[in-house]
Every structure is written in C-alpha cells, then in structure tokens.
Amino acid sequence: MNKPNAIPKVGFVSLGCPKATVDSEHILTRLRAEGYLISSSYQDADLVVVNTCGFIDSAVEESLDAIGEALAENGKVIVTGCLGAKGDVVKQAHPRVLAVTGPHAADEVMEVVHQHLPKPHDPYMDLVPAQGIRLTPKHYAYLKISEGCNHRCTFCIIPSLRGDLVSRPVGDVMQEAQNLVNAGVQELLVISQDTSAYGVDVKYRTGFWGGKPLRTRMTELAAALGELGVWVRLHYVYPYPHVDEVIPLMAQGKILPYLDIPFQHANQRILKLMKRPGNSDNVLARIKQWREICTELVLRSTFIVGFPGETEEEFEELLDFIEEAQLDRVGAFAYSPVDGAIANDLPDHVPPEVQQERLARLMWLQEEISEEKLKLKIGKTMTVLVDTVDEEGAIARSFADAPEIDGQVYIKDGSHLNVGDKVKVVITDSDTHDLWGELV
Ligand code: SF4
C-alpha cells in the first residue's frame, strides 16, 4: 500500500469489447491527467477500478470473478462498465465494493476515486500525452464516435445498459484522430454501437474541423478521416441505405475497402422477430452493387443461429444467403438468452444441440468460402501492417484483416521489420483464415 504523501496509485482491470476498452482509456487518461499513477499490481495499488462486461453470461461470470480477485488482493474496488449498469448483480455478489457505476461513466468513476483516494497536489507530475492513454498497441487505435443505440434489436440489451445514441462532436472525434496519428498510429478503427447512425441524435449538426465546417455524419466523417493519411477501418455499420455512400470512398482509396456490417440473419420473418432491417434479396443486390463500385471490398458480418422459432427451412435460407453473398469474414453465434432481452419471451426456443449443429454447419460452409477466397490471393502483392515481430519472422495484417478478429499474414523473412511498419508482400500460401507472404 501507498505511504502517506506518496503519489496515489490506481490499479486498473479492463474487460470486454473494444468499446469498453475506449472507456477504460478515457478513465486512465483522466487519472493520469490528474496526477495519479497507474499501478500494474494489486498489491502496489491504493485502489482498483474494474471495467466490466455484462453482455453474455460468461462475460458476467468473468467480470464477477475479476471483481472478487481485486477485492481479495487489494480490498478497495470501484466497478464500472456494462455489468455496473446491472448494479444489483454486482452488489449482491460483492457487497464490499466501494461503488458501482454503469458504462461510459468516467465522471462518476473520477468522483468516487476522489472520495476514496484524494487528488494529488501536483497535477503536473504526470502530464498526459495529447493522444491520451491507450491500451491497444501504438500502431493502431480504436476511435469511438458515439455511445448508446437507438435500435431495439430484441436479442440485445445494450440500449438498456448504455442508453440511446449520443454522438461525440465531430470536431472532438477529428482532434482525437489527429492526435493519434501525430503519436504514430497507423490505423484507426472507427467503433460505436451503430456507426452508420452517427449524428442522427444531433440532426447531423455541422461542426468544425481545421477551420472548415464538417457535418456530424458517417460519410463526411469517413471522408475527413481518410485525409489523415492512415488506414481507416469502419466497424459495426448497421445496414442502413446510406451505407452505400461510403463505398466510393473505399474505391478511391480514401478509407480501407473493408465493411463490418452485421446482417444477423437472412430470413425475413426472423429478421422481423429480431427487429432488424433487411430483406436478403435487397441485401444481395446491394452487395453486388458495392462490389461493382469497389472490386476489392472485403465484407465482414455476424449472424445469430438458432434464434427462437428459427425453423430448419429458415436456417437453410440463411445458408443459401451465405453461399450467395460470399462474405469474406463471418462471425456466428448460437442465440443465447441474455438476461433482460425481449427475444427470451418468444416461443419455440431452439434446443441447444440443434443450435450447435446449425452453428457448425454455418461455420463449415463459411470456412470453405473463406479458404477459396484466400486461395485467390496467392501470387498477389499486398500492403500489410506489421503487428508483431520475433526471430521467426513477422505477423502482419492486410486491409482485409481487422486486429484480433480477422486473419493474419505471416512473413517468414520479416524478423528485421518493426511493429507498425507498412510493407509490401507477395502472397505465397493460404489456409482457411490466414495468408503467408514474402517481402517484395
Ligand atoms: S443495433 Fe446493435 S447495439 Fe443497437 S440494439 Fe441492435 S444489436 Fe444492440
């Protein structure tokens, strides 16, 4: 524990998705800005903040375990994040926690920190770099553009945890992006709950960036980010019609030709039960059009199988869609009844063994598609961004791979490279998810 008058130290445990990581970064930045030190061990910290995830049952368990561990090892614990929004769950399991806040609550967390660990006198001891404190490696960074969501997908409880959409001012987002680029970031990953809704809450208000007006809107933001000279990757793009507008930016090389667009299903009845938009014929026609405009376009999507009431025919319709759409990257999940989700009350839940069987069939089909698509890259030259380097070579990603969720490009003759380098490789081999290449 800290000696009297020493600089107070805060331990930090960050769990959950990239959006939670950004929340953690904001809190860490505030702590450092006020002069607190960040401790990497429980024993050395004066108190511990645990940023939790409450999305699915296994995440709830992991979060509760992490809180328990922090209490046992340190004793003074503040809980924030998505599980924090379910305050009772935390308090019931761990009545000794100092406070529980919801997600996106840097102000509240700081207030509790001030109560239990008063601010140090000299805030100039630890000046924060302009780009803030980041938990992702220095060559890529997540850029959160909004919080919350106006949709009410029946399988999801995020709106009840995080509230309706609140877009960050476009000037602030651009300033953060510029700071990150100035600090050496090579790739910006734009995230939110619903990236294509950016600005809806402020009626696409016109803000300012670099002395020029800029609308709070996805297309305009993507175009402005595209001017910063680094890779810009769009995540969690809800399939609104105006998504079509960003495809030309991709074709022009302004932003990466990569679209992470969760379709969730292809059958009209299931989509309606999920309260999701879309009709698979329209979606297929749009995908075709997008690929005509931008031939390199890589599509990532996620799907839920075994949604309540899903029949074998409806599931097969989804398989047909996947076969036809030839998506590059697919994440699929068996429906899991998240506490509080409306879909739990729907009739005819699909038995777990049927869900697992459908999930395996879908993934098997997608693996075949992915393998075939990656084979076509052999012999091509690609620019890749280096993520890790050791004596065996380098591991990098191309525009087609988002960090942590997509594939990788292994470069055998790359052990002299540096993390964050962008290099050209010629692709020599492939498997289901990854590529191998040699430096050009
Ligand atoms: S759009 Fe995403 S965050 Fe919003 S309710 Fe649907 S699944 Fe949840």
Side-chain angles (χ1 to χ4, degrees):
M1 280 282 171
N2 219 27
K3 291 188 216 86
N5 302 324
I7 299 171
K9 290 185 188 146
V10 179
F12 207 99
V13 180
S14 184
L15 304 169
C17 65
K19 286 157 261 192
T21 304
V22 174
D23 281 353
S24 295
E25 289 167 352
H26 283 158
I27 297 169
L28 286 167
T29 300
R30 293 270 301 270
L31 287 165
R32 288 292 306 277
E34 292 188 12
Y36 291 90
L37 289 180
I38 308 303
S39 165
S40 56
S41 79
Y42 289 125
Q43 289 75 23
D44 198 33
D46 297 297
L47 64 76
V48 178
V49 178
V50 183
N51 189 7
T52 58
C53 175
F55 188 49
I56 52 171
D57 294 347
S58 59
V60 171
E61 255 172 56
E62 187 194 10
S63 295
L64 289 175
D65 287 352
I67 298 166
E69 189 182 299
L71 277 170
E73 299 284 331
N74 181 282
K76 289 173 99 179
V77 176
I78 298 169
V79 177
T80 184
C82 281
L83 185 61
K86 302 175 178 174
D88 289 353
V89 178
V90 177
K91 284 272 182 193
Q92 267 164 22
H94 298 295
R96 283 171 55 217
V97 295
L98 297 175
V100 182
T101 81
H104 201 49
D107 287 346
E108 289 165 53
V109 171
M110 291 308 297
E111 222 169 87
V112 188
V113 171
H114 294 157
Q115 273 169 29
H116 294 274
L117 191 63
K119 264 202 246 188
H121 287 305
D122 185 0
Y124 302 106
M125 291 280 290
D126 294 285
L127 288 178
V128 172
Q131 76 276 15
I133 306 291
R134 283 179 296 112
L135 300 176
T136 39
K138 122 167 165 315
H139 60 293
Y140 67 83
Y142 294 99
L143 182 66
K144 182 150 86 171
I145 60 170
S146 61
E147 189 53 56
C149 181
N150 286 347
H151 295 287
R152 295 295 181 263
C153 303
T154 55
F155 54 82
C156 178
I157 53 163
I158 282 176
S160 64
L161 294 177
R162 297 196 161 218
D164 282 341
L165 178 81
V166 179
S167 300
R168 290 181 61 202
V170 71
D172 289 5
V173 173
M174 286 303 301
Q175 188 57 56
E176 183 175 335
Q178 181 70 71
N179 291 344
L180 290 165
V181 172
N182 293 347
V185 162
Q186 296 288 335
E187 176 180 9
L188 294 168
L189 300 120
V190 176
I191 57 163
S192 66
Q193 307 298 341
D194 178 4
T195 294
S196 36
Y198 180 57
V200 166
D201 54 320
V202 293
K203 303 197 170 53
Y204 302 121
R205 180 169 63 205
T206 298
F208 284 91
W209 164 244
K212 292 195 194 123
L214 181 64
R215 282 181 85 194
T216 313
R217 196 165 174 278
M218 177 178 67
T219 310
E220 284 79 352
L221 175 68
L225 290 172
E227 298 295 323
L228 298 181
V230 296
W231 281 6
V232 176
R233 195 183 290 283
L234 299 183
H235 282 287
Y236 312 118
V237 177
Y238 190 89
Y240 290 109
H242 71 268
V243 172
D244 298 2
E245 294 174 14
V246 291
I247 308 295
L249 293 175
M250 297 179 179
Q252 293 156 21
K254 295 252 161 86
I255 60 173
L256 292 181
Y258 178 101
L259 196 58
D260 174 8
I261 183 160
F263 293 123
Q264 307 298 9
H265 211 280
N267 172 268
Q268 198 60 36
R269 191 185 77 89
I270 297 291
L271 284 168
K272 237 182 164 168
L273 288 175
M274 289 178 167
K275 279 213 179 167
R276 297 281 302 185
N279 144 333
S280 57
D281 290 344
N282 284 347
V283 171
L284 288 170
R286 281 175 79 197
I287 291 177
K288 195 162 166 264
Q289 257 180 9
W290 294 343
R291 286 185 172 140
E292 275 163 16
I293 298 167
C294 179
T295 45
E296 278 197 304
L297 180 66
V298 159
L299 288 168
R300 156 173 264 279
S301 194
T302 43
F303 296 93
I304 296 174
V305 301
F307 190 76
E310 183 194 59
T311 63
E312 174 61 25
E313 290 70 38
E314 287 164 338
F315 171 68
E316 282 173 16
E317 196 180 323
L318 172 58
L319 289 185
D320 291 344
F321 171 86
I322 292 201
E323 175 93 58
E324 180 90 30
Q326 295 282 305
L327 303 170
D328 300 84
R329 309 286 186 192
V330 165
F333 308 91
Y335 174 78
S336 132
V338 179
D339 217 10
I342 291 167
N344 298 345
D345 301 332
L346 290 170
D348 306 322
H349 277 235
V350 179
E353 60 282 7
V354 179
Q355 285 189 319
Q356 290 310 320
E357 185 247 359
R358 289 181 187 169
L359 182 61
R361 280 159 71 197
L362 188 149
M363 289 319 289
W364 185 71
L365 170 62
Q366 180 56 33
E367 278 173 13
E368 275 192 342
I369 294 172
S370 176
E371 205 169 314
E372 286 307 309
K373 295 200 94 160
L374 291 181
K375 252 189 214 156
L376 298 175
K377 310 240 177 192
I378 295 177
K380 295 209 164 133
T381 300
M382 301 181 96
T383 299
V384 296
L385 177 61
V386 176
D387 278 339
T388 52
V389 180
D390 62 21
E391 61 284 358
E392 286 179 22
I395 304 178
R397 288 175 294 109
S398 75
F399 74 91
D401 313 305
E404 290 172 39
I405 50 173
D406 292 333
Q408 291 174 316
V409 182
Y410 294 90
I411 313 169
K412 273 211 169 139
D413 53 347
S415 44
H416 62 288
L417 297 172
N418 295 310
V419 170
D421 281 353
K422 271 188 190 143
V423 291
K424 278 198 178 7
V425 292
V426 59
I427 303 301
T428 54
D429 203 358
S430 67
D431 69 5
T432 313
H433 302 292
D434 302 316
L435 296 170
W436 280 258
E438 281 169 11
L439 290 171
V440 173

